[in-house]
Amino acid sequence: MDEAASGDFEAMTLNTAYPMAFLLGRLLDEPRLLTTAQAADINESSRNLLIFTREEDGLNRQLLNAALSGMLQTYEEGPAQTRQCVVDALEEGYLRTAGHVVLPILAQHAKRLVSADPELLKSLYAASFGFEETSEESTVLGGPVFAMGTNRKQEVEHARWALGQLYRSFLEARPDVATRALMAALELDGARTRPASHRKRAEFSFEFDRRTVRFVEDGSGIREQFGVHDTVGEMLQTWEAHVENVTADKLADLEEIVSAVAQVKAPAAAWLKLLRAGARNPDVVGERLRMLCWQPAILLSPDTNRAGREFLESQYPRLQQSERATVDQAVLGILRVAGYGDKKRLKYLRELILGRLRNEDIVTPKFAALHARFADKSQEPAGPVFGFGVGSFGDWSGQDAGQKDPLATELSELARPVSDFVFTHLNSAPAQSSARSVLPQARALYHFLRRQSEPGPQERWGHVKRQLAEACAIVGRAQSASIAAQVRDLVLPMARDKDPVQSQEADDNLAERGYPMVSGVRGHVAVALGRIAPQLKDDAKVRRVLVRLASDPVAGVRREVVAHLAPVVACSPGWAWRLIGERASKESNNGVLLTLLQFTLARLANEPNSERVSALVTPIYYRAQGVGSKALRKQCTGLFLNLSFNFGDRSARNALDRISGHPLECSAEIAAAAFEFRGWLVSDGTPKLDHIAARAWEFLTSCVSAAQASRVTLDAEYAAYKDGSGGSLQNIQNNYEALGSVVDAIGNALFFASGAFEGVGMSQGKRETRLTAEQQKEFLSSAGPAIESLAGFGLPTVAHHLAEICEAYLDVDPRGTLLLLAQIVRAGRAYRYESDQLAAGLMVRLIERCLAEYRHLLRGDNNLQSALREILETFVGWPAALQLIYRLDDVFASRLARVGNAASRIHIRRSGDLVSGARITPDKSAC
């Protein structure tokens, strides 16, 4: 770095670095408006900031982003110095520490380098695809308000993706450098991802343009059969398409690309893609590459031999007679070439080459005779040539698949109509005519399977049995007693099938997900019996089998039984309720219990059954533990809300009172309830919805009060921990996170219900509701205490939602809203709410509106003036807020203008219209 820049850097402190970062960001909002001198100042300031940031302890994402962004956006004003800074940032040692931050920032602004410094951009590609970030340590993107969780590894992968998206523009602008960048990316990405067992690779060489060209195998001949699944593969695909579309007037671009590949030891994928492009564009690309037609390395290496044959087929008729003779001699001599496998493989590949050529094009008599002899044997194999082993090669076309099994043929013919029926009606109920037409086919398949299964189980037919059982379950949707009787006769014998087999892993997956990965034959039987039971309400056999399957050792089967009991209650209430009660009390798998709540008890939760449902749900809630318990308790909470609010059930209300009073233990339940309340906090004026809204506000207010008390307790526990007399720090952190999720969920509920989001609120559980002026007043009256309490927590996401509510309700109560806004900002300082750009923009917009529309309220109200002064002083580090402070004398002549003194905290030396971050110095008297 130059000495002048170093001198400025030595005067920098954190007190000046942050304002500099803010100013750089604002100045670069419109870089086209900057003069050359201003851009040079910004470039110098950005470089100084980068030096300072790298010297500081720890990793400061905000300062790094400002520094690197500023440098790249003004690259032309200091190219040599900026290039050195970027090269230093790409050093392997620094990437190990800060690669997950540096690489995404550089990739975001890399477009500038396409024209400004393509060689530096190539270095960025090499560094990004060669750097291996193995850490999955959690990181956060965005500011305090809008933060997204990710990890270090994902951030580096995102940088590679961003460079992949830029590659087309890079290739079109500088094909030579972009090609070298791709070669480096292919090699480095392969070295990073290649298994250790494949690190040793074969190397091949051939003569091209009077030089020896080398390439290394990379498995691309196999990988291209399976499509593109990564960023470097997409770049290679883009490169291939660009080469293929080269026209005669772009021969210079083609020459640069081919030369760039030939000058390095490229991965085989590069030559493979060139061959593909040459085969598709033989007149331009193929003509340039025609000497590849007679290179053994191209025709025989594992990665390129197939593409080489396609290229030779397209190019051979276009070659001069002497060149075709060269090809003939090369193919005739294949059996003598060493290093490409044994003679059996070489003979096989030679036959494949012969099959690609037409006899009338061949010029060498000996080669023509060989072609005539083997032409009928040279069919292309169905799959790629995988390796050098003898077992991998042979006359594939002559292999006999063996005599067909007549039983398998008959099974296939019988299963086809049943399978077609299943796929046609997977998500729909079949018409009764369709159901009746498939039943004879299902019966035929059933009898065939039963006959063949008597000697012993046929595992290969397991899938067919599952489809038969599933078809019966689908037919059961037809709602016909006669059809139901036929389905019963088919499925009852299958109820003792061995499929599915009990697996603890499958049961655990069901507990976690709430649904089985595979239902199996017995699972489909349970579905079928549950659907036909209402039509066969007096059938004792159906009941007995359902009871047995409800206790099946496989949780997935039990789940299918309880999922289909609600319709049975209507026709056989006594028996069905006994089975439901037994499952509710004895079931141990949370996934089965969740299904019982979602599909059965939720449908039965009406006024006649409210007490019975509540008596079943309450013990499920209190004993829920283990895998899947969180989702189970949330579902129970939803039922408690329904039973309490709609039917006045006392037991459900007691459960809700306990939940609202224990925010740390019941954070998931409160969050679920708050999500439901978004649509019911605003009433439409009917007595029923007035009652629901009142109960919802009562619940939320209780939750907020309990959250405040829990925060006081947690703060005391943390203080005790710091003094050495407290408990576990991990427990304290977990409790703080639970408390934060409660506060955030309630803040979200208020935000979406209020109408602050895009001007629409929620009522009667529906979105897109425009709140009337009366509804807004009622909402503000009900929400006021909760908003004031939530504001005290200071969490940035919650604070921002509350501030947006203030903006939406400014006309309803301008004075109260501005005072509340000051309270929100005051509490948010503890979590650096003022450092977020979204927060700064909202505050400036709100204050400007207050000064424009409610100046008359400010003139005689000292409290309002103090609130305005506090807000602006908090956000004075942002240029927009600073500009607003400077304009206060013009906008409002009163003692409020004293807030302008806040600007004295930062002394800024102006250079024309530019505030140069490199010249910021701290105010020692203020410090």
Side-chain angles (χ1 to χ4, degrees):
M1 289 297 172
D2 57 278
E3 295 181 2
S6 176
D8 286 335
F9 150 67
E10 292 172 356
M12 195 178 300
T13 67
L14 279 176
N15 288 335
T16 58
Y18 280 108
M20 182 193 299
F22 292 145
L23 290 171
L24 289 175
R26 184 58 185 266
L27 292 168
L28 289 169
D29 282 345
E30 292 291 342
R32 293 173 298 177
L33 302 180
L34 297 172
T35 66
T36 301
Q38 290 169 344
D41 281 342
I42 291 176
N43 185 271
E44 181 186 4
S45 301
S46 301
R47 288 185 276 114
N48 294 336
L49 182 59
L50 178 64
I51 298 172
F52 171 79
T53 305
R54 292 191 59 172
E55 292 293 330
E56 284 291 300
D57 294 333
L59 186 63
N60 194 312
R61 184 187 294 267
Q62 181 180 350
L63 297 184
L64 271 176
N65 184 40
L68 293 172
S69 301
M71 286 193 312
L72 291 180
Q73 290 187 73
T74 57
Y75 185 91
E76 292 83 352
E77 309 311 322
Q81 301 92 330
T82 302
R83 163 182 259 276
Q84 187 59 51
C85 284
V86 174
V87 170
D88 292 343
L90 294 178
E91 290 179 353
E92 183 178 355
Y94 188 60
L95 289 181
R96 282 197 293 268
T97 301
H100 66 289
V101 176
V102 169
L103 292 177
I105 297 171
L106 293 176
Q108 180 184 356
H109 298 283
K111 186 176 182 180
R112 190 85 175 211
L113 297 177
V114 171
S115 57
D117 195 337
E119 290 292 341
L120 182 58
L121 181 55
K122 170 184 168 295
S123 300
L124 177 57
Y125 274 89
S128 298
F129 285 93
F131 173 60
E132 183 173 13
E133 177 60 83
T134 58
S135 172
E136 296 188 3
E137 176 188 346
S138 296
T139 58
V140 177
L141 296 177
V145 172
F146 186 72
M148 294 186 297
T150 181
N151 61 53
R152 292 170 62 117
K153 186 175 182 179
Q154 288 179 341
E155 290 199 62
V156 174
E157 289 172 351
H158 177 75
R160 297 190 192 108
W161 176 84
L163 290 174
Q165 298 301 300
L166 176 65
Y167 187 71
R168 184 185 302 277
S169 300
F170 187 19
L171 183 61
E172 291 172 351
R174 290 298 303 269
D176 54 339
V177 185
T179 297
R180 286 189 280 116
L182 176 62
M183 298 303 105
L186 285 168
E187 182 60 30
L188 292 168
D189 188 79
R192 182 173 51 81
T193 58
R194 192 179 300 116
S197 58
H198 291 73
R199 296 289 167 85
K200 186 177 181 180
R201 299 177 294 162
E203 183 177 312
F204 306 98
S205 62
F206 61 92
E207 296 300 315
F208 184 78
D209 284 352
R210 298 180 180 179
R211 74 175 73 166
T212 300
V213 175
R214 302 183 186 278
F215 68 93
V216 290
E217 67 171 336
D218 57 3
S220 54
I222 297 175
R223 285 202 310 274
E224 77 165 355
Q225 308 294 323
F226 302 99
V228 176
H229 302 287
D230 56 3
T231 299
V232 74
E234 292 176 353
M235 291 166 54
L236 184 62
Q237 200 171 51
T238 299
W239 183 76
E240 178 188 7
H242 181 82
V243 175
E244 181 182 334
N245 293 322
V246 169
T247 55
D249 59 335
K250 294 285 187 178
L251 290 178
D253 287 356
L254 178 63
E255 186 62 36
E256 290 179 349
I257 291 172
V258 174
S259 297
V261 176
Q263 288 170 3
V264 298
K265 188 191 294 184
W271 289 104
L272 184 150
K273 296 303 182 183
L274 284 175
L275 291 166
R276 296 285 190 214
R280 297 187 185 107
N281 187 354
D283 294 328
V284 179
V285 182
E287 174 65 21
R288 175 64 182 86
L289 302 174
R290 66 185 185 279
M291 65 183 65
L292 298 180
C293 290
W294 54 82
Q295 304 299 334
I298 294 296
L299 299 174
L300 301 178
S301 74
D303 292 318
T304 62
N305 67 77
R306 184 184 293 274
R309 292 194 296 274
E310 292 179 3
F311 177 73
L312 177 59
E313 181 181 15
S314 68
Q315 202 63 28
Y316 189 80
R318 293 174 168 81
L319 296 176
Q320 298 177 8
Q321 187 170 356
S322 60
E323 292 174 329
R324 274 183 277 169
T326 303
V327 172
D328 296 351
Q329 294 301 322
V331 176
L332 286 171
I334 278 179
L335 296 183
R336 298 189 299 273
V337 178
Y340 295 95
D342 57 24
K343 285 191 176 181
K344 186 174 182 178
R345 177 181 186 268
L346 295 176
K347 182 179 179 181
Y348 174 75
L349 291 176
R350 187 179 68 176
E351 292 173 4
L352 295 179
I353 294 171
L354 289 169
R356 292 281 185 171
L357 305 179
R358 297 182 304 178
N359 189 63
E360 57 268 27
D361 295 328
I362 297 174
V363 297
T364 304
K366 186 176 180 180
F367 189 57
L370 184 64
H371 180 273
R373 180 181 174 187
F374 291 105
D376 59 338
K377 297 183 180 180
S378 56
Q379 300 298 318
E380 189 79 1
V385 179
F386 288 100
F388 293 152
V390 176
S392 300
F393 304 95
D395 189 0
W396 291 23
S397 60
Q399 292 179 354
D400 190 354
Q403 187 176 1
K404 292 185 178 179
D405 184 352
L407 290 179
T409 302
E410 184 178 359
L411 176 66
S412 176
E413 293 174 354
L414 290 171
R416 185 175 296 110
V418 176
S419 176
D420 292 343
F421 175 82
V422 169
F423 285 112
T424 302
H425 299 95
L426 271 177
N427 299 306
S428 62
Q432 291 188 7
S433 58
S434 177
R436 285 193 173 92
S437 66
V438 81
L439 278 171
Q441 298 164 328
R443 241 185 329 268
L445 178 59
Y446 164 76
H447 289 302
F448 174 85
L449 291 171
R450 188 172 184 182
R451 286 196 310 270
Q452 301 306 322
S453 62
E454 288 175 357
Q458 299 286 339
E459 294 299 332
R460 59 178 173 161
W461 294 346
H463 176 68
V464 177
K465 288 193 291 183
R466 286 185 185 179
Q467 283 209 319
L468 174 60
E470 187 175 7
C472 292
I474 293 173
V475 171
R477 298 175 183 158
Q479 301 293 313
S480 165
S482 61
I483 292 175
Q486 296 181 66
V487 171
R488 173 199 58 197
D489 296 339
L490 285 171
V491 299
L492 284 179
M494 290 191 284
R496 295 188 181 276
D497 195 272
K498 295 181 180 180
D499 179 55
V501 178
Q502 199 278 332
S503 163
Q504 189 59 48
E505 181 181 0
D507 288 357
D508 291 343
N509 282 334
L510 172 60
E512 182 178 1
R513 300 168 183 266
Y515 57 88
M517 300 301 293
V518 178
S519 295
V521 173
R522 295 197 309 280
H524 291 307
V525 169
V527 175
L529 292 176
R531 287 173 177 166
I532 66 175
Q535 283 80 47
L536 306 173
K537 57 183 179 180
D538 297 324
D539 196 306
K541 290 183 179 179
V542 171
R543 292 185 185 181
R544 283 198 301 270
V545 174
L546 276 174
V547 170
R548 187 174 75 246
L549 292 176
S551 302
D552 194 276
V554 177
V557 177
R558 303 196 300 272
R559 188 256 184 198
E560 299 297 357
V561 174
V562 302
H564 295 86
L565 288 178
V568 183
V569 172
C571 60
S572 304
W575 169 81
W577 276 113
R578 283 195 300 274
L579 184 56
I580 291 171
E582 179 185 330
R583 284 297 91 207
S585 60
K586 295 183 178 180
E587 181 57 57
S588 59
N589 187 286
N590 287 332
V592 178
L593 288 172
L594 182 64
T595 301
L596 179 66
L597 294 172
Q598 289 176 324
F599 293 95
T600 300
L601 292 179
R603 296 176 183 177
L604 298 173
N606 48 39
E607 191 164 3
N609 299 321
S610 60
E611 291 185 7
R612 177 175 268 173
V613 171
S614 178
L616 294 174
V617 174
T618 303
I620 291 176
Y621 173 80
Y622 285 115
R623 76 168 191 264
Q625 59 182 353
V627 178
S629 59
K630 184 176 180 180
L632 190 62
R633 289 196 300 269
K634 289 166 66 175
Q635 186 66 33
C636 288
T637 302
L639 281 170
F640 288 148
L641 293 172
N642 180 25
L643 295 168
S644 173
F645 285 24
N646 289 317
F647 310 117
D649 184 80
R650 184 176 297 275
S651 177
R653 178 161 186 171
N654 291 338
L656 290 176
D657 289 342
R658 182 191 178 279
I659 290 171
S660 64
H662 296 79
L664 302 185
E665 300 174 24
C666 307
S667 59
E669 294 94 300
I670 293 175
F675 183 84
E676 294 294 332
F677 285 156
R678 298 187 308 170
W680 303 99
L681 292 173
V682 177
S683 172
D684 63 353
T686 60
K688 182 177 181 179
L689 290 184
D690 283 346
H691 168 73
I692 292 176
R695 293 300 311 279
W697 282 115
E698 179 184 336
F699 180 86
L700 288 184
T701 302
S702 176
C703 291
V704 172
S705 299
Q708 286 181 303
S710 297
R711 182 182 183 180
V712 173
T713 303
L714 281 178
D715 289 344
E717 290 180 5
Y718 183 58
Y721 170 81
K722 290 195 295 184
D723 293 339
S725 59
S728 166
L729 178 61
Q730 186 62 51
N731 288 339
I732 295 173
Q733 289 176 336
N734 291 341
N735 285 334
Y736 270 121
E737 289 178 4
L739 184 63
S741 68
V742 168
V743 173
D744 187 57
I746 297 175
N748 271 329
L750 298 181
F751 172 69
F752 285 104
S754 68
F757 178 67
E758 296 183 350
V760 293
M762 298 182 70
S763 181
Q764 305 176 59
K766 302 174 183 176
R767 288 290 311 278
E768 305 298 328
T769 302
R770 296 278 176 181
L771 272 61
T772 64
E774 187 61 32
Q775 285 177 321
Q776 285 186 316
K777 289 180 182 179
E778 183 179 347
F779 178 88
L780 195 57
S781 174
S782 301
I787 292 177
E788 291 180 7
S789 299
L790 291 176
F793 285 90
L795 299 180
T797 53
V798 179
H800 197 65
H801 276 334
L802 299 180
E804 288 178 303
I805 293 175
C806 290
E807 181 183 28
Y809 281 70
L810 186 60
D811 293 336
V812 179
D813 182 8
R815 184 180 189 279
T817 299
L818 190 57
L819 293 175
L820 181 57
L821 190 65
Q823 182 181 345
I824 294 169
V825 170
R826 187 183 311 121
R829 285 201 295 260
Y831 297 91
R832 297 182 59 246
Y833 173 58
E834 71 278 4
S835 67
D836 193 281
Q837 188 172 4
L838 290 174
L842 174 61
M843 293 302 156
V844 169
R845 187 169 67 246
L846 249 170
I847 297 302
E848 286 180 336
R849 184 178 165 192
C850 286
L851 293 175
E853 299 178 15
Y854 301 105
R855 191 181 309 177
H856 60 284
L857 295 179
L858 290 166
R859 282 201 175 93
D861 195 323
N862 293 338
N863 290 334
L864 278 184
Q865 294 178 11
S866 297
L868 181 62
R869 181 169 62 249
E870 183 177 8
I871 294 170
L872 287 176
E873 286 180 345
T874 301
F875 286 87
V876 72
W878 288 93
L882 197 60
Q883 291 174 4
L884 189 57
I885 290 172
Y886 289 152
R887 287 166 31 210
L888 283 180
D889 284 332
D890 299 329
V891 174
F892 192 68
S894 77
R895 74 181 187 88
L896 181 62
R898 288 182 300 173
V899 71
N901 293 332
S904 64
R905 295 181 179 183
I906 303 174
H907 281 247
I908 302 172
R909 189 178 305 162
R910 293 180 176 270
S911 174
D913 295 330
L914 173 75
V915 181
S916 175
R919 300 187 176 90
I920 297 179
T921 59
D923 178 12
K924 296 182 179 179
S925 61
C927 295

